[in-house]
Amino acid sequence: MEMPRTISVLVKNRPRVLARVAGLFARRGFNIDSLAVSTTESEGISRMTVATTADAPTLSQIAKQVSKLHDVVDVIDHTDLKVVERELCLIKVIVDRGQRGELISLCDVFRGDIVDIGNGSVMVQLVGDTDKIDAFVELLADYEIVEMVRSGKIVLDRGAQKE
Amino acid sequence: MAHEMIPGAQALLRVFEEENVDVLFGYPGGSVIPIYDALYDSTIKSVLPRHEQGAAHAADGYARATGKVGVVMATSGPGACNLVTGLATAYLDSVPIVAITGQVKTNLVGTDSFQEADVTGITIPVTKHNYLVKEPYQIERFADLVREAFYLARTGRPGPVLIDLPFDVSAGCVPWTERNIEALDGYEEAAVPDEADIDRAADMIEAAERPVMMIGGGVVTAGAHSEIIEFANKCNIAVVHTLMAKGCFPESHELSMGMPGMHGMAYASYAIQHSDLLIVIGARFDDRITGDLSRFAPDAKVIHIDIDPAEIDKVRTANIGIAADARTATRALIQAVSARDRGAWEDTLLKFKRDHELAYTDDDELMAPQLVVQKLHEVTGGNAIVTTEVGQNQMWAAQYYPLEEPRKWCTSGGLGTMGYGHPAAIGAQFGRPDELVVDIAGDGSIQMNMQELTTGTIHELPYKIIILNNSFLGMVRQWQDMFFDKRYSGVDLTGNPDFVKLAEAHGAVGLRCGDRDRIVETLEQAMEVDDRPVMVDFAVSKEENVFPMIPAGQSFENLMECPMAEKSSSA
Ligand SMILES: Cc1ncc(C[n+]2csc(CCOP(=O)(O)OP(=O)(O)O)c2C)c(N)n1
């Protein structure tokens, strides 16, 4: 069934490795919904969290193709695993003084933080899973959103085990 | 421990020697002069083709004919860019090649300096892996990096690997470190098939009433031909081969059911369509084999053995997928499967073969191209190493030059690269100097790498080029004939050069034949030459089409056999 799915790709931190992985996705017509890249607990190893919308066979094909890249150490398909999933979002919205209180209570409900207040605008920081952020952004439709950025999701499997 | 410091170029050649590289196909330029300088004192034979594309295909032909890694070299920028078609050709057919390209000095990389091209960037999608050697960690382990390139090229599912070497790295010094393949990055033990999977496969095979084995290029790579023959013999299972596996299973063998697919033998396609079990070994369900996937082998279960796990379930979902080397897996199957009688199915297959033989007519004023290939087979005793160009010539070669052994067939199957066959013949001839090498060519394709005749002449290579000259880009014309109301657009090759004079101008022998009664005589004359290439121009029927044909995206239900021949045989 086609649905949002996430894989983590552990790669050697080498020149062009991002281009190799992203290029493979593009070449084989796999969609990337979001991509987050960072260092990890192991020196020289980076972790790419790739969110995509695909059915199970397609995801398995992606994972197998990506695994073949020489600089790829491991690929984890999180589909059937219990995970903690997080994304960070920064949103700048136009609010006049009268609307501020309303926005602050909205933030409270979603456990968002006001991280900057400017002349007529407010920047909100929100951390959560993708659904929560989507819901929050939807609620902000009543305001004028000036700019928004999302980090792309990152995921770790639950439990003491390393994947 | 302090290591001996030697120039990068020398370290490169030392690893070449470790890897038993005896010939290198390369074209120089500013950024590879240090390597050419080192080659000056080397025992490795450096062959200078006339175009880098020729060098790449020669390395490819060498690799396919010998099973060794082919080595090609080019200079930075334009030289490296000229390799791309050759790399893509090798990549799609999983041919092991190591390509060395020069690069501008490390401090100039990224500045659009003279003859700089982002070659590692350009070649990512057409190589198994590539390296731009400029980071200290790479230079420190340079010898291992080169060993790793060879290792990656030849192991697992083979493919081209490229090393982009800045001038100052090949001219500057690197530490010489000892060889230890098992310590290489990416070293892997060969995958062994799971015993339980083999047992399940054996049960499935024993239960099957109408099994067919389909073998592909992976069988050539794994050197599994003897095992395949043993397996087929033991269990009495018919074998079809893809274009890439031609020769892996002797085509004269009674269990050989030929090549299926778009221009394959009709009986091969019928065998697949009626089978209840396909045992697919080292093949990847290319669309030229399957046509419309939903109608391909509709009643068959599938056992799929491939060294590349990504091939399993990629196109056709397998009932049992075994990611392992074809040879090891086939050996395991031989042990596990017992023979059984399938008389009815054998009769059906025999009937398919009898009723759907390959056929053509030779009733045009000009000779039929198929006749030329058949005569070539006769004159050469079926023993030549055959390379092909692309188009109708390639399909007629596949149909009418049956082979009995692997590694005697070099054809661009995946990419379909016109201009491949001639330089591949040169590479094959270098790799197997004592064997007869023949390039079966079209008049269009041959003109794409004609310049390499000089290379052949200089090195006194006695390969033959057989041009099936129909004055058309025949395969494209055939599609226009059949699917575009005969609106022949952009396919007329009237105005072709005089191929005999052209051969002679290159110092090769040129022969011409326009008379079907002189085919054998002309071929015999060509075979007598043993010190330079021979190019033979056969004027063949201009509008001959390749049959059978299953139009693209269709299925065996739409299979067309030769219309004229059918009429005459039913009469
Ligand atoms: C480099 C390249 N360009 C274009 C094509 C498309 N193409 C496929 S077959 C063909 C015609 C080949 O003509 P020729 O070499 O004369 O062989 P014939 O089909 O007549 O035997 C063409 C143009 C190709 N396969 N490769």
Side-chain angles (χ1 to χ4, degrees):
Chain A
M1 194 185 46
E2 189 158 305
M3 59 181 214
R5 295 170 194 264
T6 315
I7 56 172
S8 292
V9 185
L10 294 167
V11 298
K12 289 178 198 146
N13 193 358
R14 297 213 177 129
R16 270 194 211 280
V17 64
L18 178 59
R20 290 182 203 278
V21 175
L24 185 74
F25 271 71
R27 181 161 72 86
R28 298 210 175 253
F30 303 144
N31 230 22
I32 297 182
D33 295 338
S34 81
L35 170 67
V37 188
S38 78
T39 54
T40 64
E41 74 287 352
S42 315
E43 201 189 318
I45 301 292
S46 295
R47 185 170 177 121
M48 299 181 182
T49 312
V50 188
T52 179
T53 305
D55 56 21
T58 306
L59 192 77
S60 146
Q61 179 61 206
I62 297 179
K64 287 199 259 182
Q65 293 293 354
V66 172
S67 301
K68 287 200 289 180
L69 295 174
H70 182 58
D71 290 340
V72 169
V73 180
D74 199 8
V75 180
I76 306 148
D77 174 0
H78 299 287
T79 308
D80 296 318
L81 303 173
K82 288 205 171 66
V83 297
V84 174
E85 169 195 318
R86 287 291 179 271
E87 200 177 339
L88 173 73
C89 176
L90 294 175
I91 316 176
K92 202 188 285 174
V93 279
I94 303 277
V95 277
D96 53 37
R97 255 164 233 229
Q99 292 172 309
R100 264 193 205 161
E102 190 185 304
L103 184 71
I104 290 171
S105 43
L106 205 58
C107 284
D108 283 346
V109 175
F110 279 82
R111 293 208 237 148
D113 294 321
I114 308 275
V115 290
D116 187 44
I117 301 187
N119 208 354
S121 81
V122 161
M123 194 193 299
V124 181
Q125 166 191 304
L126 189 70
V127 176
D129 61 22
T130 301
D131 286 348
K132 172 175 157 182
I133 292 176
D134 286 347
F136 184 71
V137 173
E138 223 167 90
L139 282 175
L140 288 190
D142 295 346
Y143 302 82
E144 188 186 336
I145 298 179
V146 190
E147 274 186 304
M148 178 175 86
V149 60
R150 294 168 70 153
S151 62
K153 72 165 94 156
I154 53 172
V155 168
L156 280 185
D157 294 341
R158 288 181 186 274
Q161 296 289 332
K162 186 164 171 165
E163 291 136 339
Chain B
M1 194 178 76
H3 292 289
E4 179 193 0
M5 298 297 287
I6 59 172
Q10 265 185 32
L12 183 74
L13 297 193
R14 275 203 201 172
V15 177
F16 284 3
E17 282 159 18
E18 284 178 2
E19 296 288 343
N20 296 319
V21 174
D22 50 6
V23 52
L24 171 154
F25 303 93
Y27 209 98
S31 67
V32 285
I33 291 181
I35 305 174
Y36 272 89
D37 188 60
L39 273 170
Y40 192 81
D41 300 318
S42 166
T43 54
I44 296 170
K45 191 179 187 84
S46 162
V47 175
L48 178 67
R50 265 37 185 177
H51 189 301
E52 289 90 350
Q53 185 185 355
H57 292 323
D60 172 314
Y62 173 92
R64 292 193 212 219
T66 62
K68 292 167 64 180
V69 177
V71 180
V72 54
M73 185 153 77
T75 193
S76 69
C81 287
N82 275 344
L83 294 183
V84 172
T85 307
L87 293 172
T89 303
Y91 183 68
L92 272 186
D93 288 345
S94 308
V95 177
I97 285 183
V98 167
I100 308 295
T101 49
Q103 183 51 280
V104 300
K105 288 183 182 167
T106 38
N107 65 334
L108 293 176
V109 169
T111 65
D112 303 319
S113 66
F114 179 64
Q115 293 198 326
E116 179 185 2
D118 176 7
V119 172
T120 29
I122 290 170
T123 59
I124 284 177
V126 294
T127 52
K128 190 171 166 187
H129 190 60
N130 63 21
Y131 307 83
L132 166 57
V133 185
K134 76 190 222 313
E135 307 296 329
Y137 78 88
Q138 294 172 308
I139 292 168
E140 276 159 30
R141 61 180 293 273
F142 180 69
D144 271 345
L145 185 148
V146 180
R147 292 172 183 131
E148 192 176 289
F150 276 87
Y151 178 79
L152 290 177
R154 73 176 130 78
T155 56
R157 178 179 185 165
V161 176
L162 179 139
I163 303 176
D164 201 22
L165 263 186
F167 182 96
D168 48 325
V169 177
S170 52
C173 278
V174 302
W176 175 253
T177 52
E178 286 312 308
R179 184 181 178 86
N180 181 3
I181 295 296
E182 281 164 40
L184 288 181
D185 191 5
Y187 175 81
E188 268 178 45
E189 300 282 338
V192 252
D194 189 71
E195 239 174 81
D197 286 340
I198 292 288
D199 289 344
R200 282 203 302 140
D203 290 345
M204 195 176 271
I205 294 168
E206 280 165 25
E209 297 297 333
R210 303 185 304 282
V212 170
M213 182 163 24
M214 177 159 84
I215 58 169
V219 172
V220 183
T221 303
H225 48 279
S226 317
E227 283 77 6
I228 296 289
I229 297 171
E230 191 184 337
F231 181 42
N233 282 341
K234 176 176 176 188
C235 301
N236 221 6
I237 296 177
V239 181
V240 299
H241 61 263
T242 69
L243 185 68
M244 298 309 300
K246 191 175 162 65
C248 249
F249 191 74
E251 289 184 73
S252 62
H253 196 294
E254 56 177 0
L255 287 170
S256 171
M257 285 297 282
M259 176 179 85
M262 181 177 278
H263 289 300
M265 289 69 162
Y267 50 85
S269 296
Y270 288 130
I272 289 185
Q273 289 313 128
H274 290 87
S275 75
D276 66 350
L277 174 66
L278 277 184
I279 307 158
V280 181
I281 308 182
R284 60 180 173 89
F285 296 97
D286 182 82
D287 56 272
R288 286 308 195 242
I289 293 280
T290 65
D292 176 4
L293 200 57
S294 66
R295 286 185 284 162
F296 177 77
D299 303 326
K301 290 186 179 160
V302 170
I303 297 172
H304 193 178
I305 298 171
D306 202 290
I307 194 144
D308 179 357
E311 286 306 338
I312 293 165
D313 296 339
K314 182 181 89 175
V315 175
R316 167 86 177 233
T317 309
N319 298 80
I320 301 175
I322 299 176
D325 169 77
R327 191 166 176 203
T328 326
T330 310
R331 273 202 188 140
L333 279 180
I334 295 170
Q335 296 303 317
V337 184
S338 342
R340 60 162 276 206
D341 183 51
R342 297 187 186 87
W345 177 231
E346 282 159 32
D347 292 345
T348 310
L349 292 176
L350 276 179
K351 188 165 159 24
F352 285 153
K353 244 184 173 171
R354 229 180 305 121
D355 295 352
H356 299 281
E357 267 181 56
L358 281 175
Y360 65 91
T361 51
D362 184 28
D363 51 8
D364 189 47
E365 195 186 322
L366 292 166
M367 65 184 93
Q370 298 95 325
L371 182 65
V372 178
V373 181
Q374 278 185 320
K375 295 292 176 198
L376 177 70
H377 187 264
E378 250 173 65
V379 169
T380 57
N383 283 321
I385 295 175
V386 179
T387 75
T388 79
E389 301 296 340
V390 166
Q392 296 183 312
N393 58 85
Q394 180 183 31
M395 293 301 114
W396 286 320
Q399 293 178 337
Y400 291 97
Y401 200 104
L403 285 167
E404 304 295 306
E405 284 170 50
R407 299 213 177 274
K408 287 199 148 182
W409 177 247
C410 306
T411 198
S412 170
L415 197 67
T417 310
M418 288 171 70
Y420 167 81
H422 180 201
I426 291 176
Q429 189 76 85
F430 269 109
R432 291 168 72 173
D434 299 330
E435 303 217 30
L436 173 63
V437 179
V438 181
D439 173 28
I440 298 181
D443 46 320
S445 301
I446 193 61
Q447 294 183 64
M448 287 206 170
N449 276 312
M450 179 64 82
Q451 76 286 348
E452 301 308 339
L453 265 182
T454 307
T455 319
T457 303
I458 288 170
H459 293 278
E460 300 181 357
L461 305 179
Y463 62 86
K464 325 293 172 198
I465 300 170
I466 306 298
I467 305 178
L468 306 176
N469 186 346
N470 51 16
S471 298
F472 272 118
L473 293 171
M475 187 57 95
V476 182
R477 185 208 52 75
Q478 172 167 352
W479 285 46
Q480 292 174 343
D481 175 5
M482 298 172 73
F483 313 115
F484 291 86
D485 292 332
K486 269 193 196 287
R487 288 155 57 90
Y488 293 167
S489 177
V491 292
D492 187 352
L493 290 181
T494 310
N496 267 334
D498 179 330
F499 289 111
V500 174
K501 282 192 187 151
L502 204 52
E504 286 165 357
H506 286 87
V509 175
L511 300 172
R512 175 171 291 125
C513 176
D515 172 0
R516 53 168 68 65
D517 295 326
R518 282 191 45 243
I519 299 175
V520 171
E521 181 190 320
T522 311
L523 288 171
E524 280 170 349
Q525 208 181 330
M527 299 307 151
E528 276 162 25
V529 180
D530 63 1
D531 59 352
R532 68 195 109 154
V534 184
M535 185 155 73
V536 194
D537 179 8
F538 284 98
V540 301
S541 177
K542 291 187 172 196
E543 297 190 45
E544 185 68 28
N545 287 342
V546 181
F547 288 107
M549 178 171 195
I550 301 175
Q554 303 209 22
S555 93
F556 80 112
E557 295 149 18
N558 317 92
L559 188 148
M560 293 176 266
E561 295 186 68
C562 176
M564 292 309 169
E566 244 170 45
K567 229 182 272 164
S568 56
S569 72
S570 62

